[in-house]
Amino acid sequence: MPAEIGCEDAISALSHHLKVLREAGLVRVSPEGSRRRHELRDEELESRYPGVLSSIIAASRSA
């Protein structure tokens, strides 16, 4: 039973984070059947914050 509770918490946390990203305009959501596809709005992100995305990617590769 504790594993089930942890799974529900993880799903709830994921839903919350995706909602925050969507409301911030960082991801777009497209329905695909019974699921939803979340895509990073990289062009919009780059135009609003030039260089931020490439800096994050470069930092993650060097970590």
Side-chain angles (χ1 to χ4, degrees):
M1 186 145 172
E4 293 174 4
I5 294 170
C7 183
E8 290 174 11
D9 290 343
I11 291 170
S12 178
L14 177 61
S15 295
H16 171 73
H17 291 302
L18 290 172
K19 177 184 174 187
V20 170
L21 292 170
R22 184 181 69 247
E23 290 176 350
L26 299 176
V27 297
R28 80 173 52 89
V29 182
S30 309
E32 289 189 355
S34 62
R35 298 177 182 216
R36 291 187 278 175
R37 178 185 181 103
H38 294 81
E39 295 178 272
L40 181 64
R41 299 177 76 157
D42 53 344
E43 291 177 10
E44 292 92 337
L45 183 59
E46 183 61 29
S47 69
R48 286 169 79 182
Y49 308 104
V52 169
L53 191 54
S54 58
S55 296
I56 293 169
I57 292 169
S60 71
R61 289 185 178 153
S62 66

